[in-house]
Amino acid sequence: MSHETVLVWMLSMNREYGTEVGIPNRVQLGEAVFPIGKGKMRAQQSGFISTGMLMTQLLPVLMMRHRRVPRAKWVDQVTPNGKHWIDLVEDPNRPGRPKPPSIGYQLTFHNSLCGMAVTQGPASAVVNIGLGIKQLKVEPKGTSVQVYFESLSHKLTAHEISTIVGNPDEVVLKRLCMLLALKEAYIKAIGQPMGFDFSRLEFDIPNRRVSGDGNPLLGWEFRIFVAKLGVARGTQLKQEEYECVCAFYRGTPETTFLFHETPQLLENWVQFINIDQLMAVSNKLAA
């Protein structure tokens, strides 16, 4: 992966795999793959965590194993506002060797889809990456699209609302989920908590503009794509669709929106795996 290349890993929870993982297993796994700061991990865990969260946290470890970098040869770093990057451990037998680029990543998961956005370069730059995922469905089940839209309209600006109302239900739902995924990706890229007021951001997609508190946000790249999954739930195979956005700050004079609407375009930078592929190598991740 070259400097400023963006890659995304998507993990499909394509079948039921138990709903919860208890704290003893969580701590044991944490000590194996994240040996630095394991005491902090113990202190932060209470009760149970979801399988989705656990699988998502394994993605950077899987990525480094895919690169054939042993776990002892890299360190997970984090900024005060929770942005992560990976540094390779210097080889004492090869002094003076140029430092490899840092690898920044952002994790997120929503329902049956876990994701990781990745880039590499200077540590100060690679942390400016975020990933937003929003499933195209109403919640709770049985709610009309109009009621669902109204329940989330407080996260939108008046202009954004005007681009949605008056359209068929499928268009309303798609545009709503795309806007929410865009805002989530940006908020995660800058390291803000999810309690951030979404209505402070405005995405004017037709005119390729984005602003925060009324001020233009320049230099950002937003990659927008759809993930379609076949998910086994009991004896039924259900189709799920997600609006996904990767946000990355490139520091250019403009803001860029890139739409990837075909599998061929996605193959260049998005890799899909499923839970069985991850579990097949899970016992080797600490090596």
Side-chain angles (χ1 to χ4, degrees):
M1 180 169 61
S2 61
H3 284 248
E4 298 187 348
T5 296
V6 171
L7 299 176
V8 170
W9 288 49
M10 286 297 194
L11 169 65
S12 166
M13 305 285 286
N14 60 309
R15 65 176 179 82
E16 294 176 342
Y17 196 84
T19 56
E20 301 293 326
V21 177
I23 184 172
N25 291 336
R26 177 66 180 88
V27 171
Q28 183 180 19
L29 180 61
E31 291 180 351
V33 299
F34 294 110
I36 298 176
K38 55 189 177 183
K40 181 179 179 182
M41 182 170 289
R42 283 197 189 96
Q44 288 178 339
Q45 302 304 321
S46 60
F48 296 86
I49 66 167
S50 70
T51 303
M53 180 180 293
L54 176 61
M55 296 299 105
T56 304
Q57 292 181 351
L58 288 177
L59 286 175
V61 189
L62 180 65
M63 172 186 66
M64 296 307 290
R65 185 180 186 277
H66 183 74
R67 292 171 172 231
R68 302 185 185 278
V69 180
R71 182 61 191 89
K73 296 295 184 181
W74 59 272
V75 179
D76 189 82
Q77 312 275 24
V78 61
T79 67
N81 60 343
K83 298 295 298 180
H84 285 261
W85 80 95
I86 290 171
D87 280 332
L88 299 185
V89 176
E90 293 186 21
D91 188 346
N93 298 319
R94 305 181 69 177
R97 186 183 183 187
K99 181 182 177 181
S102 298
I103 302 170
Y105 68 90
Q106 174 68 54
L107 304 175
T108 189
F109 77 97
H110 180 53
N111 294 339
S112 303
L113 189 60
C114 311
M116 175 179 66
V118 184
T119 189
Q120 72 176 29
S124 59
V126 298
V127 294
N128 299 315
I129 192 168
L131 184 64
I133 300 175
K134 184 66 177 175
Q135 186 177 1
L136 273 78
K137 75 169 189 176
V138 297
E139 295 178 302
K141 185 177 180 180
T143 303
S144 70
V145 171
Q146 185 60 37
V147 169
Y148 182 62
F149 168 64
E150 290 176 356
S151 72
L152 293 171
S153 60
H154 65 282
K155 297 187 175 185
L156 308 178
T157 67
H159 174 72
E160 290 169 336
I161 292 174
S162 71
T163 65
I164 295 177
V165 296
N167 286 290
D169 282 354
E170 61 270 20
V171 176
V172 169
L173 185 60
K174 184 173 181 64
R175 291 186 179 180
L176 171 63
C177 292
M178 183 183 296
L179 285 170
L180 294 178
L182 279 162
K183 296 187 179 195
E184 179 186 351
Y186 174 78
I187 287 170
K188 289 187 173 181
I190 63 175
Q192 291 294 316
M194 291 309 293
F196 185 94
D197 183 0
F198 274 33
S199 67
R200 293 172 59 186
L201 302 173
E202 180 171 279
F203 284 84
D204 184 354
I205 299 176
N207 294 306
R208 301 297 195 265
R209 291 197 296 259
V210 57
S211 61
D213 296 329
N215 301 309
L217 298 176
L218 303 177
W220 286 89
E221 176 185 274
F222 297 95
R223 300 188 178 200
I224 303 167
F225 63 100
V226 173
K228 297 182 179 181
L229 311 179
V231 180
R233 293 292 180 259
T235 59
Q236 293 184 325
L237 181 64
K238 297 185 177 181
Q239 301 298 317
E240 296 182 356
E241 186 170 329
Y242 295 80
E243 284 291 333
C244 307
V245 178
C246 178
F248 181 52
Y249 182 72
R250 293 193 179 276
T252 56
E254 68 283 332
T255 296
T256 305
F257 291 86
L258 302 175
F259 290 84
H260 297 79
E261 299 177 345
T262 67
Q264 292 74 22
L265 290 173
L266 283 181
E267 287 175 359
N268 294 327
W269 64 285
V270 179
Q271 178 174 346
F272 286 91
I273 60 175
N274 60 44
I275 192 171
D276 294 305
Q277 291 171 305
L278 176 59
M279 296 309 298
V281 298
S282 61
N283 62 337
K284 303 176 183 177
L285 294 182

